[in-house]
Each structure stands twice: as C-alpha cells, then as structure tokens.
Amino acid sequence: MWNQQGTPKENYTLYYRILNFESQPALPCRNYLQDGQINIGCWINAPTVNLFSPFVVQLNSTNRDKPIIREYERMQTMVKLDPPYNLTIKATNHSELLLQWQFDHGHFPVLCICFQVEHQNMASKEGKVKEVRSALFSLPSYDPKQIYTFRVRNKLCEICADAKMWSEWSEEITWGKNETLIVEASIVQSLVISLMSSVLLLVLLFLLIRMERIWVILVPRIPNPGKKFEDLIKIHKGDFQEWLGISKEAVESFKHNYTETLCSVSEDPEFNGGDAKRHPPNGPTNQNLLN
C-alpha cells in the first residue's frame, strides 16, 4: 500500500522481485488496489512469492526521475492469514467447554500458526483473550446457567515469522442454557402447541360440518310435524278453529237457534196386541168418521 499519507494524485506502477533469484525478472503487479481510478496498492498472490527470502518492490511514477525502491528482508512478518472457520463447541463430563475450529495455513507448517480465543459470558462486560498453539480451547468450570460467546483469530507466530498482523476475527459462536431463555422457549412452545390445537379443532369442526351436509343430502331427514302444531298448543291453547283462522261469527252461525216441543210416547197397558187396525173401544166409528 502507498496511500499512508493520503490518496496520491497520480497512478504508480509496481514491480517486485525475489533477491535470491537474480535471474528472475521483475514481475509487474497484476491486481492493483484502487481508490476511485487511482492505484493505492498491489495485491500479490502468495504462491508467486518465496516468503522466506528477501523481497524487493519498485514503485514507478511518470513524474519521478527515479523509482521508489523498498526491500523487505522477511516477508513472512507481513503475512495476514484468513480467519478461522467452522467453530464447534461441546460440554464434557468434566465440567468444561471444548472449542474447536478449522483454519487455512497455506504454505506454512501447522506449527507456525498460533491463535487467540476471546470468550465472554452474560455476567462479564468485557471478553477475555487467551493465546493457544493448537485449534483447541478448553474453558474449565463454566457456569451452566450462563451464555458464553466465542470467537478466534490467528497469525504466524514467532517460531516461523512473528507476524505483526492478526487475521480478522472469526464468526461468533454461542453456547448456553440460560434459565430465562428456557422459560421463554417453553412459553413459545406452549403458544405454538395452543395455536396448532386451535387450528386442528377448527379443521375438525369444518370437516364435521361438511360431513353433516353430505349426510343430509344422502339421507334426507323425516319431517317432524310437531313443529307445525306448536302455535296450536302454545298460542291458541288447543283451539283448532282459532288456529285455522275461522272467525267467531262464522262459528256462531253454524249453531242452531230453534227449539222443538217434546212429544212423549207411552204404551196402553190394556192393549192386548190384537188387530192393530181395530180402533180402541171409545173411539169413533167408521160411520161417524164418514159423517
């Protein structure tokens, strides 16, 4: 990078070469870093550079008579690694948390990489940082009621280079069994179960209604005549004529308004049942009737 004092006003071109290989020509930068349209740095692919050999960089400018040349004796101290990834964590039977991760070490031996682990729980305001030499970290005597957060970064350590730059921090990973979270989770679970039960009940009710309609279509109900005579019993008190709507005048008109004299009939005890055509003794004679 050559923008430490601000973005330059012109474009520089960069060439680099490994000093131990004099026969190798200077190589041009193939991937410039830019601010707008101005070159401010060069990205050099690591496989093209022997990081354990002296390295020289030449920066050219059209406004300068001489190029700017800088030599780096130990390029490995300038390496910035990619951050670790795939963090995993588990609790053991010995009351400790084991954190593991993966990392890319490029052309360097695994023993050249060292790590920093930052861990923090809910009770602490700041995280604690600890350096480790392998991709494994143990946190003893953890509190099972707390939530712990971990992240990791790496660099080349002093065994090989003592790099000045740490990698970026990895993505955070969280572990914990907080009681509040458990209560909240149980509440959410209860709400979900209640909601699902309500939905299931509505579905069953809908299916029952649908089945009732289908059953009525397939098997028609026998009409109940009792409902048609409810008014006769409840309102008209059993008065059939009033229930039929017949007026009282019409009912009175059908009643008889005449009287008859009763005629009493008795049997003559002296009548012996002889000739029925014969007149009684005291009755008039035929001759008298003719007169």
Side-chain angles (χ1 to χ4, degrees):
M1 305 287 292
W2 50 87
N3 65 335
Q4 286 78 8
Q5 298 181 0
T7 303
K9 298 181 180 180
E10 58 178 322
N11 272 328
Y12 290 87
T13 56
L14 181 139
Y15 292 83
Y16 61 93
R17 184 167 59 85
I18 299 175
L19 292 181
N20 290 348
F21 296 88
E22 299 295 341
S23 61
Q24 180 183 9
L27 299 176
C29 177
R30 299 183 181 278
N31 188 3
Y32 282 103
L33 304 176
Q34 293 187 327
D35 183 1
Q37 300 295 326
I38 303 297
N39 297 337
I40 59 172
C42 178
W43 184 275
I44 299 174
N45 192 13
T48 64
V49 180
N50 185 347
L51 298 177
F52 295 94
S53 299
F55 185 76
V56 64
V57 173
Q58 177 177 313
L59 200 61
N60 298 330
S61 171
T62 56
N63 295 331
R64 288 179 178 268
D65 296 334
K66 295 181 179 181
I68 301 173
I69 298 176
R70 180 169 297 179
E71 184 176 335
Y72 300 92
E73 293 183 0
R74 302 182 64 192
M75 276 297 296
Q76 62 268 31
T77 62
M78 308 294 293
V79 173
K80 184 176 182 180
L81 299 175
D82 290 330
Y85 56 94
N86 287 348
L87 277 67
T88 58
I89 190 169
K90 64 179 180 179
T92 67
N93 296 331
H94 303 288
S95 299
E96 64 177 351
L97 295 178
L98 287 181
L99 175 68
Q100 293 179 296
W101 58 88
Q102 295 178 332
F103 64 97
D104 294 327
H105 53 85
H107 300 282
F108 300 99
V110 176
L111 295 177
C112 292
I113 313 298
C114 55
F115 307 91
Q116 277 188 347
V117 178
E118 182 186 65
H119 63 91
Q120 183 178 3
N121 59 23
M122 295 180 60
S124 61
K125 297 181 179 180
E126 296 181 357
K128 299 179 181 180
V129 178
K130 185 176 181 180
E131 292 192 11
V132 294
R133 292 289 182 173
S134 63
L136 177 65
F137 174 74
S138 173
L139 179 64
S141 302
Y142 69 93
D143 185 355
K145 296 182 180 180
Q146 290 290 339
I147 294 179
Y148 293 86
T149 302
F150 299 85
R151 61 178 184 172
V152 186
R153 64 181 181 179
N154 56 5
K155 74 168 185 174
L156 291 177
C157 54
E158 64 274 5
I159 297 176
C160 302
D162 192 19
K164 300 177 182 179
M165 294 180 290
W166 286 95
S167 70
E168 301 296 331
W169 286 105
S170 67
E171 293 185 358
E172 292 184 348
I173 184 173
T174 301
W175 184 94
K177 296 181 179 179
N178 186 269
E179 294 180 351
T180 303
L181 294 180
I182 293 176
V183 173
E184 291 179 354
S186 62
I187 293 175
V188 172
Q189 185 177 6
S190 301
L191 291 176
V192 172
I193 293 175
S194 301
L195 180 61
M196 294 299 294
S197 302
S198 301
V199 172
L200 181 60
L201 183 61
L202 290 176
V203 171
L204 293 176
L205 182 60
F206 175 77
L207 293 178
L208 182 62
I209 294 174
R210 295 283 296 179
M211 289 298 294
E212 181 72 14
R213 292 180 178 178
I214 295 174
W215 182 257
V216 169
I217 295 175
L218 296 178
V219 184
R221 294 179 179 177
I222 299 175
N224 184 9
K227 294 183 178 180
K228 296 183 178 180
F229 296 98
E230 288 182 357
D231 294 344
L232 174 62
I233 298 172
K234 294 180 179 180
I235 300 177
H236 301 285
K237 308 297 181 180
D239 191 337
F240 186 78
Q241 295 174 346
E242 183 179 349
W243 177 68
L244 289 177
I246 300 175
S247 63
K248 294 182 179 180
E249 292 77 5
V251 173
E252 294 294 334
S253 65
F254 286 104
K255 295 181 179 180
H256 58 83
N257 54 2
Y258 60 93
T259 57
E260 292 184 352
T261 303
L262 294 178
C263 178
S264 59
V265 178
S266 62
E267 181 179 359
D268 187 1
E270 297 180 359
F271 182 65
N272 55 7
D275 188 4
K277 296 181 179 180
R278 188 172 56 87
H279 294 282
N282 297 327
T285 61
N286 292 337
Q287 185 177 2
N288 293 333
L289 292 173
L290 295 175
N291 294 332

